[in-house]
Amino acid sequence: MTVVACPRCEKPVAWIKENEFRPFCSDRCKNIDFGAWANEEYRIANATPPDGDDQNAGIAHELD
Ligand SMILES: [Zn+2]
């Protein structure tokens, strides 16, 4: 039987067709991973507003 490490928590996961969450150990790990991926995509898509540099400089100055 093949065993893989869950990409999320690194627990051993039996690679069997009965495990519908493989390569994750559970639906929880699977959903967390997908959520992180979706958030990352969203962040990248909105990361650069037209005046992003000026906005970032202003924030840095305020914190300083
Ligand atoms: Zn897991």
Side-chain angles (χ1 to χ4, degrees), residues 8-36:
R8 197 68 222 167
C9 68
E10 300 185 346
K11 272 169 55 176
V13 181
W15 192 277
I16 53 176
K17 71 178 192 301
E18 287 81 6
N19 179 5
E20 62 182 297
F21 309 120
R22 67 187 189 276
F24 301 95
C25 67
S26 64
D27 62 339
R28 185 162 172 269
C29 279
K30 186 177 182 178
N31 288 332
I32 289 170
D33 196 73
F34 179 77

